[in-house]
């Protein structure tokens, strides 16, 4: 495996995790729009997301916006797991760089697990890179276990991340 051999590889990898997260914002039926449609501050009109049952809590898992978001959250988890699995084997001249990349991976994975647990209930708890077949064989946890797993990721992230970033890194996750 020729990937993940230098610190710059991990900078690219964490950018890939952020890229997946940004996809949740895209399009008229983005996950964020879909999740807000359930609140009192938004009124869903006829057709579109409302017609699929989102605003009345009667949607099916096959609603495109939910199905797409579910896939994206698992991309975030998988990409974060790859970083966390491989980063310790690489020597970093700058320990801060290594710490913040790990912290970002924990924070983004925690965000994905928290959101999946909140929206869909218990999830398979996977904290390492595994094959698709192994993923399918991993049992589903409870909602409480999923939220606790996310909370631990957030605790780990907070121990590694800076309080704030300089302007060239604004937008990256902080404590």
């Amino acid at each position: 495996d020729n990937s993940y051999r230098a610190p710059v590889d991990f900078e690219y990898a964490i950018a890939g995790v952020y890229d997946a997260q940004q996809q949740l914002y895209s399009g008229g039926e983005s996950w964020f729009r879909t999740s807000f449609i359930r609140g009192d501050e938004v009124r869903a009109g006829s057709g579109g997301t409302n017609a699929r049952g989102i605003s009345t809590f009667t949607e099916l898992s096959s609603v495109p916006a939910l199905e797409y978001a579910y896939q994206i959250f698992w991309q975030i988890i998988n990409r974060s797991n790859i970083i966390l699995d491989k980063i310790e084997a690489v020597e970093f001249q700058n320990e801060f760089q290594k710490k913040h990349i790990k912290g970002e991976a924990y924070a983004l994975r925690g965000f994905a697990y928290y959101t999946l647990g909140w929206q869909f209930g218990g999830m398979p708890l996977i904290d390492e890179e595994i094959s698709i077949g192994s993923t399918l064989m991993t049992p589903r946890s409870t909602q409480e276990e999923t939220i606790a797993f996310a909370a631990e990721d957030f605790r780990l992230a907070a121990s590694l991340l800076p309080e704030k970033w300089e302007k060239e890194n604004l937008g990256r996750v902080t404590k």
Side-chain angles (χ1 to χ4, degrees), residues 11-32:
E11 288 288 355
Y12 289 132
I14 199 66
V17 181
Y18 280 108
D19 177 64
Q21 187 254 349
Q22 289 297 310
Q23 293 176 47
L24 295 169
Y25 291 97
S26 66
E29 293 203 37
S30 73
W31 175 82
F32 286 102

Side-chain angles (χ1 to χ4, degrees), residues 70 74 77 81 113 116 121-127 130 134-142 145-146 149:
Y70 190 87
W74 280 104
I77 291 166
N81 283 343
Y113 270 118
L116 286 168
M123 290 288 120
L125 299 178
I126 300 168
D127 63 356
I130 62 175
S134 295
T135 301
L136 296 173
M137 298 304 295
T138 304
R140 193 172 182 166
S141 67
T142 66
E145 290 167 332
T146 301
F149 188 88

Side-chain angles (χ1 to χ4, degrees), residues 36-52:
F36 285 119
I37 256 190
R38 291 182 164 159
D40 292 338
E41 64 277 355
V42 175
R43 179 164 184 220
S46 62
T49 305
N50 186 44
R52 294 190 189 99

